[in-house]
Amino acid sequence: MEVIFKTIKTVGGYYVYDRSNNCIIKLSKEEFEQLQDVELKKVLPEQSSVMKKYQNKGYFRKNTLIEISHPYNCMLKHILSNHIEQLTIQVTQRCNLRCQYCTYGGFYDDHNRVHANVDMKWEKAKAAIDFYLERSMETKELTFGFYGGEPLLMFDLIRQCVEYIKQQVSNKVVHYTITTNGTLLNLQIANYLFENGFSVVISLDGSKKEHDEYRRFPDGSGSFDIVMKNLRMIRDAYPEKFKRIRFNTVLNPKNDYKHLKLYFEEDELIGESDVMTTIVDNKSAESVKFSDEFYRARAFEKFKLYLYMIGKIDIAYVSKLVIADYAFLKQKYQMLINNKPLGCKSHHGGPCIPGGKRLFINAFGEMFPCERVAEKSEVMKIGNLNKGFDMDKVRNLLNVGKITEKECKSCWAINYCSLCCQKADGGDHLSKTVKLPYCKISKENAYYDIAEICVLRELGCTFSEKGLSTYEKDDLSVEL
């Protein structure tokens, strides 16, 4: 059994992450260098005076992780019978666009389907809703998502679903979500979505140049102009409700980040709207390489976010393209200060309860952990509306860490792993070969996340709602 930790150096300090206690310890330079020698196996742990010093304080306990097992194993059946949080219904597999990077466009060599002329029948949609309602008795608020293809191709079915849900649910708050390419929006549809409290997200990749690069109709023409026409029509008719629309932009290697930023912040139509960003799927390998200029521009915007977090500038100067990173870092910070020790049984972070967090039911009535996994992958199919959940398959996905058990037991970043079952999809099985390359990336991300937090703390940030607040030295169990 070994002591597992990770040394972390920043411009302003020296630190070590202690896995056994899930905490950060601030070190002197001499302590850091001695622990680095232990980490590099130049010195045995028992020969290190620094190691002994902190072990006497309760840190650097020897590894007690004897089994990779998800903590929700014992509650799995109960959760899937009583506490499903969200249902996403695939109302159609059709789409009126052929976006060049779409995971359903047939451009990737994976296990996913392509756009098909398949719509969900009302009987299937009703059965999906009933299935969810019967298994969410303990869920305080219900969430229904509508997915495609392009879901607005089946607006009549969506409306039928909503009216049925209203009839069936009277004592709970109900949320509705939809993501659309915006080409089919009209005043009738917009009014219905607004009146029923839908969270509406429109896919928009920037100005006409950026958007039309990938988001095209089957004939190759761009979709930007029609989306803008529809949005202006809705804005003019419902100016206050229009502000509730959010936008999602897919960052891709052809983006000019500075131009993208200016567009989303200064455009007269959407300049005040919320924007989320996602990175184009990296399964296209060599074609997805961002330029140094792109990274430099994004890094500068992140730098301004940091300045806000330490109270040096107002949030008005922070780009909306990076503001969501604040919540992400705050979440990581909370994980660190909770100091939850590692037990003898544990599992890496990443996997949610398959089907319990955001159950996805496709047009055929097949069930998947969420809408992001590949529908043609047998290992990802966790049941169907006729037979219900296949609990063995659900448990297999939940415990995806089993396939890399040896590596996980000795991994310093097990608590901060971001890998779910999707990153191990081998088609008909969970694949260690597929998963391991993602492990390296996950550990690198964990290191930089923790280093970012250390630097921000050095500069006085305590991750309060307003960024800078009074520095409370003892809000961690050790000095940080």
Side-chain angles (χ1 to χ4, degrees), residues 60-308:
F60 296 124
R61 293 179 291 110
K62 289 192 174 181
N63 183 20
T64 56
L65 184 53
I66 61 174
E67 182 183 354
I68 297 298
S69 177
H70 201 283
Y72 283 149
N73 275 325
C74 60
M75 298 182 285
L76 191 55
K77 186 174 181 180
H78 177 82
I79 291 172
L80 293 182
S81 299
N82 301 279
H83 203 91
I84 299 177
E85 295 183 28
Q86 176 175 331
L87 170 66
T88 301
I89 303 172
Q90 182 189 70
V91 292
T92 184
Q93 291 190 353
R94 292 184 292 135
C95 188
N96 61 332
L97 296 185
R98 289 297 181 268
C99 302
Q100 294 298 297
Y101 49 61
C102 179
T103 188
Y104 304 118
F107 303 104
Y108 304 119
D109 182 20
D110 64 5
H111 316 292
N112 225 328
R113 64 169 176 84
V114 295
H115 291 305
N117 190 30
V118 177
D119 298 329
M120 177 176 271
K121 305 299 183 185
W122 162 243
E123 292 74 18
K124 278 279 193 298
K126 179 179 179 296
I129 293 168
D130 290 339
F131 185 89
Y132 173 46
L133 294 179
E134 291 168 5
R135 291 162 179 80
S136 57
M137 301 302 291
E138 296 178 0
T139 307
K140 294 181 180 180
E141 299 185 359
L142 305 177
T143 301
F144 295 86
F146 297 97
Y147 193 74
E150 169 47 49
L152 289 184
L153 286 168
M154 294 294 287
F155 176 64
D156 287 342
L157 177 62
I158 293 172
R159 184 163 49 188
Q160 194 172 5
C161 288
V162 171
E163 298 308 314
Y164 179 70
I165 292 166
K166 289 179 182 178
Q167 295 171 11
Q168 300 302 310
V169 182
S170 59
N171 59 345
K172 292 185 179 182
V173 175
V174 177
H175 304 281
Y176 300 105
T177 70
I178 189 169
T179 298
T180 171
N181 60 40
T183 60
L184 301 177
L185 279 172
N186 56 40
L187 292 182
Q188 177 196 6
I189 291 174
N191 182 60
Y192 187 84
L193 298 178
F194 290 146
E195 290 300 311
N196 287 279
F198 268 74
S199 171
V200 180
V201 177
I202 296 177
S203 301
L204 182 68
D205 285 356
S207 68
K208 181 176 176 64
K209 176 180 179 296
E210 287 92 11
H211 185 88
D212 284 349
E213 184 70 44
Y214 288 100
R215 293 192 178 274
R216 305 173 184 171
F217 288 101
D219 65 3
S221 61
S223 59
F224 180 82
D225 289 339
I226 190 169
V227 174
M228 290 298 106
K229 176 185 174 183
N230 293 342
L231 289 177
R232 288 191 181 91
M233 175 179 61
I234 295 168
R235 190 269 312 271
D236 293 343
Y238 309 107
E240 289 304 312
K241 294 176 181 178
F242 179 82
K243 296 176 183 178
R244 288 157 42 188
I245 294 177
R246 295 179 297 154
F247 295 88
N248 180 66
T249 184
V250 178
L251 301 177
N252 65 77
K254 295 185 179 181
N255 285 146
D256 180 327
Y257 194 86
K258 292 180 180 178
H259 184 262
L260 199 67
K261 171 185 175 295
L262 288 174
Y263 174 76
F264 279 114
E265 292 179 355
E266 298 181 4
D267 182 77
E268 61 89 19
L269 183 63
I270 62 172
E272 296 181 2
S273 301
D274 291 335
V275 178
M276 303 172 289
T277 61
T278 55
I279 298 289
V280 65
D281 199 311
N282 63 5
K283 285 180 285 189
S284 49
E286 292 302 312
S287 64
V288 181
K289 285 187 175 181
F290 290 85
S291 67
D292 290 342
E293 183 180 357
F294 178 94
Y295 284 119
R296 282 194 295 269
R298 184 164 171 80
F300 180 66
E301 298 307 321
K302 286 287 292 288
F303 174 67
K304 289 194 292 183
L305 171 64
Y306 299 149
L307 290 177
Y308 159 70

Side-chain angles (χ1 to χ4, degrees), residues 435-445:
K435 185 185 178 189
L436 280 177
Y438 288 109
C439 291
K440 180 177 182 292
I441 297 170
S442 183
K443 282 192 284 189
E444 289 175 352
N445 290 339

